[in-house]
Amino acid sequence: MSRDIKVDHVTMVFEGRGQPVIALEKVDLHVPTGRFASIIGPSGCGKSTLLRLVADVMQPFAGSVTLSGVSPRKARHEHAIGFVFQSPTLLPWRTVRQNVELPLDVVGRKSTRRSAKTPDELIELVGLKGFEGALPHELSGGMQQRVAIARALVLEPDVLLLDEPFGALDEITRQRMNIELLRIWAESGTTALLVTHSIAEAVFMSDEVHVMSARPGRISGVVDVPLARPRTLDMMRTQNFYDCVNRVRDGLFGRDAEPAEHGAGAPVEAW
């Protein structure tokens, strides 16, 4: 099951030193049910703030956010939202299995609400079968993020929110983790919304890329990505991929930005 995400005319204001700071201004965004979308924009434009509004971590100053017609608060109470942060935030004294089971412990359940996948099945889904009893310090950074993804899925959320979950990983590990995340997303059937600084990552992962302007953040454009699924790394060598990258780059920097060209050495930034 999945839900659509609708952000309607949302403004977010924070109290600054002596005067308010407008982080988001009249933001409109729609992610259809079951789609994978990304948000990209310059540092400080409010990408993570927008994600936290969808997650009910904070409330908008003006405007509304709904998940298939209900508020994020109601969706959160229904355990319909999963959130993966840039840092895995695992409890160091709990094993892999115990960290994945943590949301079940918090809500006082022994199994998921629809009982589609057990914690051990999720651990296998993220490629950590055999590491159920390992502690976080015994895992690599990529493996820790796999645990965080499994933990976010254990209550079978309808919406999966990802705030640069692989930003701290090396390029090779990051590409592998993105392939794995797409596989997990396809199997879980959720609606996914990813915040990233990487144009290449946004295009590779998404059905659509929402481009934000500098603060006060607004959605300045949406780029549809017509790449087939499942995605493969070979797709990053195609002209279709570079065309999408250039459209996102135009949205971020304007048409004066140097375009990427098909072929070896094209200036698509590393993940």
Side-chain angles (χ1 to χ4, degrees):
M1 187 175 178
S2 59
R3 307 186 187 206
D4 74 336
I5 301 169
K6 286 187 178 180
V7 178
D8 186 17
H9 238 50
V10 161
T11 294
M12 191 67 190
V13 181
F14 295 103
E15 289 299 324
R17 294 182 178 179
Q19 62 181 4
V21 175
I22 302 174
L24 300 171
E25 187 173 43
K26 298 179 180 178
V27 171
D28 293 310
L29 177 147
H30 179 227
V31 182
T33 299
R35 300 267 282 182
F36 196 119
S38 291
I39 302 173
I40 192 167
S43 294
C45 72
K47 300 185 297 296
S48 293
T49 297
L50 181 55
L51 207 66
R52 281 159 171 73
L53 290 171
V54 177
D56 190 46
V57 175
M58 54 181 66
Q59 306 301 313
F61 178 82
S64 65
V65 180
T66 56
L67 304 178
S68 286
V70 305
S71 68
R73 177 66 51 86
K74 187 176 191 313
R76 182 170 60 82
H77 287 166
E78 294 171 349
H79 312 300
I81 302 172
F83 204 123
V84 182
F85 298 91
Q86 184 170 2
S87 171
T89 61
L90 304 180
L91 297 181
W93 59 88
R94 293 180 70 118
T95 65
V96 166
R97 181 186 289 108
Q98 290 169 340
N99 268 288
V100 173
E101 291 174 339
L102 181 60
L104 293 173
D105 294 341
V106 170
V107 301
R109 293 179 178 171
K110 296 297 184 182
S111 61
T112 58
R113 59 192 172 118
R114 291 187 291 271
S115 299
K117 290 191 183 297
T118 66
D120 280 345
E121 287 171 332
L122 283 169
I123 290 169
E124 183 173 2
L125 179 65
V126 299
L128 288 177
K129 183 176 177 61
F131 290 90
E132 294 86 351
L135 293 170
H137 76 270
E138 299 174 305
L139 306 175
S140 69
M143 294 169 77
Q144 289 182 28
Q145 280 293 36
R146 290 171 188 257
V147 179
I149 292 169
R151 182 182 58 192
L153 293 172
V154 75
L155 292 177
E156 297 184 80
D158 300 325
V159 173
L160 182 63
L161 306 175
L162 305 121
D163 193 0
E164 296 195 77
F166 310 131
L169 303 180
D170 64 87
E171 179 181 354
I172 294 173
T173 303
R174 187 168 180 171
Q175 290 191 12
R176 289 174 177 168
M177 288 302 300
N178 275 279
I179 292 289
E180 285 299 299
L181 176 58
L182 287 178
R183 178 183 60 81
I184 294 163
W185 163 74
E187 290 195 30
S188 65
T190 63
T191 303
L193 183 58
L194 167 73
V195 162
T196 179
H197 279 99
S198 168
I199 298 174
E201 182 174 65
V203 170
F204 181 75
M205 300 292 286
S206 306
D207 298 306
E208 57 199 50
V209 180
H210 297 259
V211 181
M212 290 189 68
S213 64
R215 194 175 65 204
R218 295 182 178 181
I219 302 296
S220 58
V222 181
V223 176
D224 289 325
V225 181
L227 298 176
R229 294 195 183 275
R231 302 281 163 85
T232 66
L233 293 179
D234 285 342
M235 290 180 180
M236 297 182 70
R237 300 176 180 271
T238 65
Q239 188 63 50
N240 198 12
F241 177 82
Y242 289 119
D243 289 344
C244 291
V245 166
N246 286 330
R247 287 198 293 273
V248 175
R249 181 178 282 110
D250 287 345
L252 287 170
F253 305 115
R255 293 191 175 275
D256 291 335
E258 181 180 352
E261 296 178 356
H262 182 81
V268 177
E269 78 283 3
W271 295 358

